Amino acid sequence: QLTMSLNSSTLLNEENAQGPKRNTECLESLEVQTPSSFQDNPLQQLQLASQEVLEKAKKSGRSKCPRCNSSRMFYCYTCFVPVETVPTKEIPTVKLPLKIDIIKHPNETDGKSTAVHAKLLAPDDVTIYKYPCIPEYEEKRHEIALIFPGPNSVSVKDIAFHLQKYTKKGVCASDDDCSREPLLKQAKIEPEEEENPDECISRSRSEGTGLKKVIFIDSTWNQTNKIITDERLQGLLQIELKTRKTCFWRQQKGKPDTYLSTIEAIYYFLVDYHREILKESYKGQYDNLLFFFSFMHTLIKDAKCCAGKE
């Protein structure tokens, strides 16, 4: 449920085939147009901070990155900071209940990645790594989960139950302690030892689920195999998200609309985690993770309408 794509610095240029002149005319007309109706915007229900700062930045055009001086729109996707026309103090900050590692494929274009949104909006809780430079997770397998569908994947609501199995079996300290089989296979409990998932989850919740970090892969689906088969990720508990439709404007050819962009996957996981594990009512606590995404979604949609593509 992870795909990538987003080039904020050339958003309209890439979407509008009629060239720079038509893009300029389109942007000028958008400034006096009424925004898309709520019915046309699937992100309308989000509780977002004011996006006035992005509206102003859109009108003033590209600006410099305060660190590398590159010309960018809204933010620098290599330095992970807003550009000069987007003051950091006017960008919302989201506090996450878990740490997030994003492993980015080396061939994934920086400007097309929504992963940077997470780093911009939750800087204290998000770290981005470019594969193959990733951490060693082996000693922390009992408190880490990988968001990726597969034959051993479990749902978010079952995280506590499955991490409990890891705790029971322990984490391999050396080759002498266990076989080289993936930890997920070792961790399976025999039928007679199986506990009631609801009872286990209830107990684990009172003690904390044990989950401290979640890993996301930032790449197109066709590129994921190189990363997901890396030995450093083998044996991690894998989580599969509920099926949701993407709002992404650059959907991968031949892939269903249930393949999410990375920032969408992070957002939906956290919403599910909040409801299923923390057992708290969701009141928009993580909505601002889609602060840039929702704005660009509307920008692209309106640009396409202006260009007669919809």
Side-chain angles (χ1 to χ4, degrees):
Q1 285 138 344
L2 307 167
T3 64
M4 283 311 349
S5 289
L6 165 51
N7 191 341
S8 61
S9 64
T10 56
L11 284 171
L12 298 179
N13 289 334
E14 292 188 1
E15 298 296 336
N16 190 330
Q18 302 207 25
K21 181 178 180 181
R22 179 61 185 271
N23 285 330
T24 302
E25 294 171 351
C26 191
L27 275 173
E28 289 174 349
S29 65
L30 281 175
E31 291 175 9
V32 296
Q33 273 185 358
T34 301
S36 299
S37 68
F38 284 148
Q39 291 183 342
D40 294 333
N41 187 356
L43 302 172
Q44 61 171 314
Q45 300 299 328
L46 296 174
Q47 299 179 44
L48 299 172
S50 172
Q51 294 176 319
E52 184 179 357
V53 63
L54 299 183
E55 288 287 355
K56 292 179 179 178
K58 181 191 71 175
K59 293 179 181 179
S60 59
R62 295 164 71 93
S63 181
K64 285 185 177 182
C65 167
R67 292 187 183 176
C68 68
N69 289 322
S70 296
S71 177
R72 301 281 190 254
M73 190 72 171
F74 303 129
Y75 57 79
C76 179
Y77 44 75
T78 51
C79 299
F80 309 142
V81 295
V83 293
E84 293 177 346
T85 54
V86 182
T88 302
K89 64 181 180 181
E90 295 186 42
I91 299 299
T93 300
V94 184
K95 180 61 182 175
L96 307 185
L98 301 161
K99 298 298 182 182
I100 289 179
D101 281 1
I102 301 174
I103 301 176
K104 186 175 178 297
H105 193 283
N107 294 336
E108 182 64 29
T109 304
D110 290 340
K112 291 184 178 181
S113 172
T114 59
V116 63
H117 296 185
K119 182 61 179 176
L120 283 163
L121 298 163
D124 294 336
D125 298 317
V126 176
T127 305
I128 298 178
Y129 298 95
K130 181 169 286 190
Y131 187 83
C133 298
I134 66 174
E136 293 286 349
Y137 294 110
E138 184 172 357
E139 294 183 2
K140 299 290 185 179
R141 285 178 179 175
H142 58 292
E143 56 188 34
I144 296 175
L146 172 65
I147 308 301
F148 199 84
N152 291 321
S153 296
V154 303
S155 63
V156 172
K157 67 182 179 65
D158 292 330
I159 289 176
F161 177 62
H162 287 276
L163 282 181
Q164 177 77 6
K165 296 179 182 180
Y166 278 64
T167 302
K168 282 188 173 185
K169 294 295 182 179
V171 179
C172 299
S174 69
D175 290 347
D176 296 332
D177 296 332
C178 57
S179 69
R180 299 305 297 168
E181 288 294 311
L183 213 62
L184 276 178
K185 293 183 180 179
Q186 301 168 31
K188 288 186 177 179
I189 299 173
E190 295 301 317
E192 63 269 22
E193 298 179 23
E194 201 66 70
E195 295 184 59
N196 183 306
D198 293 332
E199 292 178 1
C200 180
I201 291 173
S202 177
R203 184 174 67 256
S204 295
R205 187 179 301 120
S206 64
E207 301 170 352
T209 64
L211 184 64
K212 295 182 179 180
K213 179 175 291 186
V214 184
I215 302 169
F216 291 82
I217 295 176
D218 181 43
S219 77
T220 61
W221 274 100
N222 293 333
Q223 296 173 336
T224 55
N225 188 62
K226 181 176 181 179
I227 296 177
I228 197 63
T229 56
D230 189 288
E231 62 180 10
R232 290 168 291 183
L233 299 181
Q234 302 312 299
L236 293 176
L237 179 64
Q238 286 186 217
I239 309 298
E240 187 164 4
L241 301 181
K242 292 179 181 178
T243 300
R244 292 183 171 92
K245 291 186 178 181
T246 183
C247 292
F248 199 42
W249 49 90
R250 192 181 283 116
Q251 190 176 333
Q252 295 180 37
K253 292 182 180 179
K255 303 300 181 183
D257 59 5
T258 53
Y259 282 21
L260 306 175
S261 66
T262 296
I263 193 62
E264 288 176 299
I266 293 172
Y267 169 74
Y268 285 125
F269 167 78
L270 289 170
V271 172
D272 290 346
Y273 180 85
H274 196 85
R275 291 170 173 164
E276 303 282 0
I277 300 299
L278 301 183
K279 290 296 181 181
E280 298 177 10
S281 59
Y282 184 70
K283 299 179 180 179
Q285 289 90 333
Y286 315 118
D287 283 10
N288 274 322
L289 285 175
L290 299 178
F291 180 76
F292 290 104
F293 184 89
S294 62
F295 184 82
M296 293 173 178
H297 175 273
T298 300
L299 188 64
I300 292 295
K301 185 178 179 63
D302 288 345
K304 285 184 176 181
C305 289
C306 180
K309 290 188 176 183
E310 291 187 0

